[in-house]
Amino acid sequence: MREQRNLTLLTDLYQLTMMQGYYNNDTNNHEVVFDLFYRNNPSKNGYAICAGLSQAIEYIEGLSFNEADIAYLESLNIFQKDFLEYLRNFKFTGDIEAIPEGTVVFPMEVLMRVKAPIFEAQFVETALLNMINHQSLIATKAARVVRAAEDDPVLEFGLRRAQGPDAGIYGARAAIIGGCAGTSNVLTGQMFNVPVSGTHAHSWVMSFDEEIDAFRAYAKLFPDKCILLVDTYDTLESGVPNAIKVFDEMKAAGIPMKSYGIRLDSGDLAYLSKKARKMLDEAGHIDAIISASCDLDEMLIADLKRQGAKISLWGVGTNLITSSDCPSFGGIYKLAAEIDKEGNEIPKIKISDNPEKVTNPGVKKLIRVYDKQTGKMIADIIALENEIFDETKPLVLYETKARWKKTKLKANSYTLRELLVPVFKQGKLIYKAPETMEIKAYAKEELNTLWEEYKRLVNPQIMQVVLSDGLYALKEKMLEEYKKD
């Protein structure tokens, strides 16, 4: 891992101006609870995959204003000297609970809960949203692409089209979590110990006088992983026949070829892959891989599958690393409660003319309900922290927007799991983040708990996310009190 950067000033200016306001009003020690959540699944998907927690942990641990930071803030001529002096000793001292990376999540669920002095809890908002939003978006997009590819491996190839180095690095990490088998991004491979993969470019072929000379040179260098790009000049008349000649020569020379084949990067991929497959098979190369790239996304891959394309390895770049059809995750960070001097929790609610923007008040937990027999997910319950649930008793789930509709579960027919786990306690890290490949395996297990209907690329079934009786009653009470005012 490379030396960690100081990301303390990775924030919006208004976080600092509000902090100065809290400082001046002597409210910087006032403890609050913020929720980080999102309102809609990206790409009209049936779920999202939470990611970015590991980088959020690094950020929280590294929070401190160095001399260069203080000097820059002073140069803005908007901050008082005593406030800037206060920042010299700033560090995060609060509690954070979060949903582990790789977990399947749904709208309005608390992905991260921050309990800290308002001075601290307010300041970390922007950076936490930046990290969780971006990686959750790309992990979710990757899961869609991988699902479309069915049992075929998918490689992330998007670095050159990512919106800057960080988007390329951490986007590739998130793509691995979402299910990609590897990435072309070497720095991501080094930083997170994930598989890297790649072939060669058209320029390699064009730098030789003859296409077959380029193929022979590449095969000599990389006989174990010899994937030849065959569409530089003419895929079926030149590229594939020349690749076959090289494969024949390698076999005749007794060179073992563990992984070999061709890559298609243009043209009608369904037609070309079928023709190429026939040519390779007739030449005795039935184990040769046909890989494809060329502006792929989950919808095109699914369509190529329906057309019977003979592609067994997919390289997906631009549309994955940018999540081109849905370029933002939309996570938000809202005040949920204040803690008074006696330690009592005072719930807070944001009210809006748009019902979707009305927040869920209070300090909450998230409980996942599984069918005991199949292990499949039934619903999620957003509940108040002090509410108790008992698997040995019947459970009734009321739909949030239509309380007359309900699902009744018999006692001992279901299991419960709390999703939020402690990460920081009084500013100290108490959570050991898994390695990226472990998170990938966990995300795959998570997806296996969803019925197929929830994983459809188009018009998926919507998972039940319900409010507990206690939370529903509290929310209704606060809304009624607001109406009276």
Side-chain angles (χ1 to χ4, degrees), residues 171-436:
R173 175 187 185 271
I176 295 291
I177 290 172
C180 286
T183 175
S184 66
N185 189 328
V186 180
L187 184 53
T188 294
Q190 181 196 42
M191 289 174 64
F192 303 109
N193 194 28
V194 300
V196 293
S197 185
T199 56
H200 62 79
H202 294 105
S203 57
W204 170 265
V205 178
M206 296 164 65
S207 68
F208 288 79
D209 291 336
E210 299 292 338
E211 182 180 56
I212 194 166
D213 293 334
F215 289 175
R216 283 172 175 150
Y218 192 83
K220 184 177 180 180
L221 284 169
F222 306 106
D224 287 347
K225 292 186 177 181
C226 183
I227 305 295
L228 302 175
L229 181 59
V230 296
D231 70 332
T232 304
Y233 302 116
D234 189 307
T235 300
L236 299 180
E237 295 297 323
S238 172
V240 177
N242 280 330
I244 289 172
K245 287 180 185 178
V246 172
F247 299 152
D248 288 342
E249 291 168 0
M250 292 173 74
K251 279 192 174 182
I255 300 172
M257 295 183 290
K258 295 180 181 178
S259 177
Y260 75 104
I262 63 171
R263 177 162 72 97
L264 304 171
D265 190 50
S266 61
D268 185 333
L269 296 179
Y271 171 79
L272 292 173
S273 66
K274 292 175 188 177
K275 288 291 187 180
R277 181 76 272 161
K278 183 178 180 182
M279 293 166 71
L280 288 163
D281 290 352
E282 288 177 349
H285 301 294
I286 59 174
D287 53 347
I289 294 167
I290 298 180
S291 63
S293 41
C294 186
D295 291 327
L296 297 171
D297 64 11
E298 66 271 36
M299 305 312 291
L300 179 52
I301 291 173
D303 205 27
L304 288 167
K305 284 282 188 180
R306 283 192 291 271
Q307 294 175 56
K310 301 300 183 181
I311 298 165
S312 55
L313 177 65
W314 307 83
V316 186
T318 304
N319 293 319
L320 170 52
I321 202 66
T322 65
S323 186
S324 57
D325 64 320
C326 180
S328 66
F329 190 69
I332 49 182
Y333 188 84
K334 296 297 181 185
L335 183 66
E338 293 181 347
I339 314 298
D340 66 18
K341 294 180 180 179
E342 287 72 41
N344 299 311
E345 296 172 357
I346 303 170
K348 295 288 182 176
I349 187 170
K350 177 188 179 296
I351 296 175
S352 170
D353 290 337
N354 183 343
E356 287 188 353
K357 292 192 174 184
V358 177
T359 61
N360 293 317
V363 181
K364 298 172 290 297
K365 59 186 176 183
L366 182 61
I367 298 172
R368 182 147 292 169
V369 186
Y370 299 93
D371 179 78
K372 197 168 188 177
Q373 186 174 5
T374 64
K376 297 293 187 182
M377 198 185 306
I378 297 173
D380 280 353
I381 306 172
I382 306 174
L384 295 174
E385 188 179 34
N386 59 3
E387 288 186 89
I388 297 173
F389 296 83
D390 187 348
E391 296 174 6
T392 65
K393 295 181 180 179
L395 179 65
V396 180
L397 305 171
Y398 295 93
E399 288 197 19
T400 300
K401 295 180 180 179
R403 293 282 288 184
W404 66 89
K405 298 174 69 175
K406 57 190 177 183
T407 301
K408 295 182 179 180
L409 302 177
K410 295 180 180 179
N412 299 310
S413 70
Y414 62 92
T415 58
L416 302 174
R417 170 190 168 207
E418 286 201 28
L419 294 188
L420 289 168
V421 300
V423 179
F424 285 90
K425 188 69 174 177
Q426 295 180 349
K428 302 294 184 183
L429 179 64
I430 59 173
Y431 175 78
K432 180 173 173 51
E435 295 295 322
T436 303

Side-chain angles (χ1 to χ4, degrees), residues 5 134 159 162-172 185 187-188:
R5 294 175 297 170
H134 175 243
L159 178 57
Q163 286 96 340
D166 279 358
I169 294 166
Y170 294 105
N185 189 328
L187 184 53
T188 294

Side-chain angles (χ1 to χ4, degrees), residues 414-458:
Y414 62 92
T415 58
L416 302 174
R417 170 190 168 207
E418 286 201 28
L419 294 188
L420 289 168
V421 300
V423 179
F424 285 90
K425 188 69 174 177
Q426 295 180 349
K428 302 294 184 183
L429 179 64
I430 59 173
Y431 175 78
K432 180 173 173 51
E435 295 295 322
T436 303
M437 295 303 288
E438 294 176 300
I439 298 170
K440 175 189 175 182
Y442 166 68
K444 184 176 181 179
E445 293 174 0
E446 279 283 287
L447 287 167
N448 285 338
T449 67
L450 286 174
W451 294 102
E452 293 301 301
E453 293 85 347
Y454 297 92
K455 294 186 279 188
R456 284 196 297 258
L457 298 178
V458 179

